[in-house]
Amino acid sequence: MKYLLARLMLTEPEETFALYREADGGVFLLRLWEHVASDLPELDRIPGKGLSIWYRPEGEESEAVVLTFPPPQARSEAWYLGAFRNPDGNIRIFCLERGIDPLTQEPLAILAEFRPDGRANWGPTNEPRLDYFVEDVDAIIHDPSATPMAFTAISMI
């Protein structure tokens, strides 16, 4: 689901902000979640409990919209997916996903960015809380020298 929504955010960024800043954006998100789930085997379906939208209008910080997903149960499932408007007006898409520490095998939170040409891994980050996610992304988008740990080229659009 995160890849589908990330692709929509990348190809239709202005529509993303318009849709999710409206009161019925949550209804759309739940219906989309249920529609995608209907194509999955029953055992693979995750109920939409916990889906929510956080919106920050442009002001002291840049405009942002963050989708909260049901708590991830498996590696690569996401807690959050957000569209953030850079100070220059460009929109960047980030997610916080569940990863596994290769040494301890303990779960951890990984910050990733989706771009038209692939996925950037910004590495492990704080515990999975919305305020920490937003702070981490804001720090990246306001630091022109910030670089990800790794990049995987994949076609996102």
Side-chain angles (χ1 to χ4, degrees):
M1 178 61 102
K2 73 179 177 189
Y3 283 99
L4 170 67
L5 290 168
R7 185 170 192 263
L8 290 171
M9 289 176 169
L10 286 167
T11 58
E12 304 291 338
E14 294 305 327
E15 290 80 356
T16 294
F17 280 103
L19 174 66
Y20 291 121
R21 75 174 149 237
E22 300 300 324
D24 61 352
V27 172
F28 171 79
L29 180 60
L30 180 59
R31 286 187 179 153
L32 179 61
W33 185 273
E34 291 171 344
H35 176 74
V36 171
S38 70
D39 289 338
L40 298 172
E42 182 110 18
L43 292 175
D44 292 338
R45 295 180 192 172
I46 298 171
K49 185 178 181 184
L51 286 172
S52 66
I53 299 169
W54 176 84
Y55 175 72
R56 177 178 67 194
E58 190 172 7
E60 287 183 28
E61 289 291 340
S62 58
E63 184 178 26
V65 61
V66 177
L67 310 179
T68 300
F69 299 126
Q73 303 301 309
R75 176 187 275 174
S76 297
E77 290 180 2
W79 281 280
Y80 308 108
L81 177 69
F84 294 77
R85 194 179 303 275
N86 270 352
D88 64 6
N90 289 325
I91 295 171
R92 295 174 68 179
I93 312 302
F94 289 85
C95 81
L96 189 66
E97 60 189 24
R98 186 173 190 253
I100 302 293
D101 184 301
L103 299 176
T104 67
Q105 297 301 301
E106 292 293 318
L108 51 80
I110 302 287
L111 186 61
E113 179 179 7
F114 296 109
R115 302 177 185 173
D117 61 343
R119 181 186 176 281
N121 180 342
W122 289 90
T125 187
N126 296 304
E127 65 181 281
R129 287 185 16 191
L130 177 61
D131 56 338
Y132 291 162
F133 172 64
V134 171
E135 287 173 14
D136 288 344
V137 173
D138 283 341
I140 290 169
I141 66 173
H142 292 303
D143 180 359
S145 66
T147 56
M149 290 177 52
F151 182 79
T152 304
I154 55 174
S155 178
M156 290 292 298
I157 57 174

